[in-house]
Amino acid sequence: MTTSRRMLRLLRYMLPYTLQALPAVLLLAGVGLLEAFRVLLIGPIFDKVLEPHSTASNIPLIPRWKLLQNFSLERLMPHQIHNPWTMVAIALVASTLLKGLFDYAGTYLINYAGFGMITDLRDDLYNVILRRSAKFFSGQTTATLLSTIVNDVERVQYAMSAVMAEFLQQVFTFIFTAIIVVGLGGKLAWVLLIFVPFVIMSATRIGRSVRRTTRRGQDKLAEIQNVLHETIVGNRIVKSFNMEKFEARRFRDAAKRLLKANLRSVRAQALSSPMMDTIGAFAIALLLLIGRNAINKNYMTPGIFLAFLIAVFKLYDPVRKFAQFNNNFQQAFGASEQIFTFMDAQDDVLEEPHAKALKGFRDHIAFEGVNFAYSEEGEHCEVLKNINLEVRVGEVLAIVGPSGAGKSTLVRLLPRFFDPTAGRIVIDGHDLRELTLTSLRTQIGTVTQEVFLFNDTVRSNIGYGQPEISQAKIEAAAKAALAHDFILRLPEGYNTVIGERGYRLSGGERQRLSIARALLKDAPILILDEATSSLDMESEALVQQALQNLMEHRTVLVIAHRLSTVRRATRIVVLEAGEITDIGPHDELVKRTGTYQRLYNLQFVDNAEQEKVAG
Ligand code: ATP
C-alpha cells in the first residue's frame, strides 16, 4: 500500500471526530493568525513606542502591500487611547491572552480527535486479530502481535495527537507569517523563494530514510519482546537447563540490534535540524545584505525591517519543525504499515456471506475424501490423505496412531480451525463451509492436553463465554468435574484468582477446571485430547472420572492415550502418516496384527498397570 493510501486510511478514522477536529483546526488557525499579528506589532513598537518623535512614525505600518495598507491599530481601538504605548500594550496583552485560549482549546480538541481515532484503530486491529484464523497465529509470534498492537499503534498515536496539534499550529503560523513577510518585505520576501527547493529536497530525503529506519527499529523492538515473552513464559525451562547466561546473551544481542537500529533512525532525524539551520543562516545573511540597502535608501524603516526579519525568523521556525513533523509522520506511516498488513491479511477460513446457522447436532459427522496440508507446497506436505470417516451421534470415536500421524490435525478441522485442502466435512448433511462459524463452534466442546486458563477467578474460568450464568450452574459443573471440593479449599473459593494460565493450581486441578468449563458449555460434540503426561494416581483417577461424566450423552472424538479410553470407545480409528489404516472396536483391532497391536503393546499396556492401581 502506498504512503498516500495509508494516510487516507488513517484519516478515515478521523471522520467520526470531525466535530472536534474542525473547531480544533479553526482554533489553531486562530493561534497562527494571532502569532503573526504579534509580529506586526514590532514595527510600531520600534518606530513609534521606542522612538515616538522619529520621522519613521509617519511611515504607515504596512508600507507597500495594498491589501494590508489600510490596516492600522488606530482603527481597532477607541480614539481615547490613541497613544502608541497603550495601543501596543493592549494589542499585545489581548492577542496573547486570546492566543493562549485558542491554543489550549485547539490543542485539547485535536488531541481528543487523535486519541479517539487511535482508540478506534486499536479496537479494530484487536478485533481483526482476534478473529484471524489459526493459520495466521501459527505464522506470527506472540511478541510481534503484541508489538504491533502496543508499539506501532503508539507511534501512530503520537503522530496523530501531540504532533498533529503542533503541526496544525505551525502550518497556520507559517501561512499567516508568510503573508506578513510578503506584506512587509515586498520584493525582499521573494528572495526567500530561492531556498524553497533546498528545504523541500532535504526534508523529503531525510523523511524517507527516517521512515525506513523507524520500521527497522520497530521490528527490532518486536525481536526483544519475543525473547522477553519466551523466557518469561518458559522461565522454569530456562532455569532447569541453566540457560540464564545464554538467554541473557540472546537478549543483549537483540538489544544491541535495537540500539543500532535506533541510532540509525536518530542519525537520520538529527540531520534535519542542522540542515534547516544552515539553509536558514544563508537566507538571513542574504536578507541582511539586501535589507541594509533598503533602509539606507529609505525604502523601509529599521522598525519595519526588524519586524520583517523577525517574521522571517518566525517563518523559519515552522519550516525547521516541518522536517521534524515530516519525520514523525513518516514514523507513523512506517508503523501503520504493519497495522494495515495485519488488518488486510487474507484469511483462509472464511464465512460464506449467506452461511446458515447450525441448530444442534442430530445425526452424523462425515469426513468425505479429506486431504489437508499446512503449507501450500503440494502433495508431499499433506498431513491428512483421503480421510473417509463417519461418526454417528452418541458414538465415542477414539483416534490412535504414532506421534505426528495427524491425530490433532484431524480434530482441528472439525471446528474449522483449518479447512481441508480437498474433500469436505459434513455435519448433519451440511458442509461445514456453509455454516456460520459461531453456530458450528457452539456445538463443539474441547478439552485439550495443554489446558489454557485465564488469570481470573475460578468462577469466571468455568463460566468463560457465559458471563450471566448462575452460581448454582457453575457449582453443578464443578461438582460433575470433581472440582468443587478443591475449589472450596482455595483461599477465596470460587472467587480465587488462579494466576496466569492457572499456575497457582496443580496439573490435575487445572484439567478438572477445563473439564468443568466444557461441561458448562454443554456442547453435543466433544473433542478430547487426552493428556500424555500422567498425573499422580489419585489425581489421574479424578480426572478420568470427571472426563467420564463429561463424555456422557455426547458424541466424542478422543485422541486416546489410555487403555480405559480405547476400551470404552465405540470404534477406534488407527491413523498412520495421515491415512486411516484400520477402524473398528478394540476387541477386533487387538486380534488383527499391525499398528494397533504395536501401539497397544507400547502405549496402552504400559499405563494399563497404572490404571489398574488407580481404578
Ligand atoms: P502427537 O501424537 O505427537 O500429538 P499428532 O498425530 O497429533 O501427533 P499432528 O499434531 O496432527 O500429529 O501433526 C501432524 C503433522 O503436522 C506433523 O508432522 C507436524 O509437524 C505437522 N504440523 C502440526 N501442526 C502444524 C502447524 N501448525 N504448521 C505446520 N505443520 C504442522
Side-chain angles (χ1 to χ4, degrees), residues 1 6 20 31 109 119 132 142 164 180 207 229 260 289 324 334 344 365 419 428 432 506 518 528 535 579 583 612-613:
M1 198 192 292
R6 236 177 295 150
Q20 286 80 19
V31 174
L109 284 176
T119 308
R132 283 276 99 107
T142 312
M164 184 59 94
I180 305 256
H229 180 259
K260 248 191 213 156
L289 182 71
Q324 187 57 42
D344 297 341
I365 300 165
D419 275 340
D428 283 350
L432 296 191
S506 78
L528 247 174
L535 304 162
E579 287 178 281
I583 188 162
K612 245 185 245 156
V613 184

Side-chain angles (χ1 to χ4, degrees), residues 247-310:
E247 292 300 348
R249 197 168 53 240
R250 197 153 79 99
F251 184 80
R252 203 168 39 242
D253 290 348
K256 265 189 200 150
R257 284 194 291 273
L258 172 66
L259 174 72
K260 248 191 213 156
N262 277 345
L263 287 181
R264 220 173 280 144
S265 169
V266 167
R267 271 206 298 276
Q269 286 183 63
L271 210 57
S272 52
S273 257
M275 285 280 262
M276 294 300 150
D277 277 352
T278 314
I279 296 172
F282 273 111
I284 304 250
L286 191 64
L287 287 179
L288 276 176
L289 182 71
I290 306 172
R292 192 181 56 182
N293 285 339
I295 294 170
N296 284 345
K297 288 180 185 158
N298 250 347
Y299 181 66
M300 56 169 46
T301 66
I304 288 187
F305 181 68
L306 190 68
F308 167 73
L309 213 55
I310 288 177

Side-chain angles (χ1 to χ4, degrees), residues 134-135 138 372-375 381 383-384 401-410 412 418 449 529 532 559 561 575:
K135 199 168 193 166
S138 31
F372 178 76
Y374 282 103
S375 63
C381 297
V383 176
L384 295 175
S403 176
K407 304 182 291 291
S408 308
T409 308
L410 182 74
R412 276 181 207 142
F418 300 93
Q449 284 196 32
D529 192 350
T532 40
I559 299 173
H561 296 286
L575 200 66

Side-chain angles (χ1 to χ4, degrees), residues 51-70:
E51 259 191 277
H53 306 299
S54 83
T55 49
S57 60
N58 299 326
I59 297 179
L61 185 63
I62 308 293
R64 266 165 299 282
W65 217 42
K66 284 202 176 93
L67 261 180
L68 295 177
Q69 229 163 24
N70 294 332

Side-chain angles (χ1 to χ4, degrees), residues 307-357:
F308 167 73
L309 213 55
I310 288 177
V312 171
F313 268 111
K314 275 225 174 283
L315 209 58
Y316 157 69
D317 199 38
V319 167
R320 200 167 58 93
K321 282 186 180 157
F322 283 153
Q324 187 57 42
F325 295 145
N326 188 34
N327 293 350
N328 292 134
F329 287 130
Q330 297 295 354
Q331 287 178 346
F333 293 138
S336 67
E337 191 178 320
Q338 185 73 305
I339 297 175
F340 290 136
T341 307
F342 280 159
M343 280 183 149
D344 297 341
Q346 265 305 316
D347 268 339
D348 40 336
V349 175
L350 294 171
E351 199 173 81
E352 276 185 8
H354 302 293
K356 285 178 285 205

Side-chain angles (χ1 to χ4, degrees), residues 1-17 21 113-122 124-125 152-161 164 211 328-340 343-344:
M1 198 192 292
T2 59
T3 309
S4 52
R5 295 230 347 240
R6 236 177 295 150
M7 192 178 345
L8 276 181
R9 202 160 160 188
L10 277 178
L11 285 180
R12 222 175 300 143
Y13 274 90
M14 193 60 107
L15 278 183
Y17 298 93
F115 278 103
M117 71 161 272
I118 289 300
T119 308
D120 296 348
L121 177 72
R122 197 192 281 115
D124 278 4
L125 176 64
D152 289 335
V153 170
E154 168 90 31
R155 287 258 173 196
V156 181
Q157 172 171 304
Y158 178 60
M160 298 313 275
S161 50
M164 184 59 94
R211 190 175 62 222
N328 292 134
F329 287 130
Q330 297 295 354
Q331 287 178 346
F333 293 138
S336 67
E337 191 178 320
Q338 185 73 305
I339 297 175
F340 290 136
M343 280 183 149
D344 297 341

Side-chain angles (χ1 to χ4, degrees), residues 20 91 110 115 192 222 251-253 282 306 308 366 410 422 435 456 479 485 488 490 502 511 546 551-552 554 566 572:
Q20 286 80 19
I110 201 72
F115 278 103
L192 293 170
F251 184 80
R252 203 168 39 242
D253 290 348
F282 273 111
L306 190 68
F308 167 73
L410 182 74
L435 300 168
D456 204 337
K479 278 179 188 154
D485 291 343
L488 289 187
L490 292 173
Q511 292 218 343
M551 284 158 75
E552 243 164 61
R554 282 179 228 278
V566 287
I572 298 153

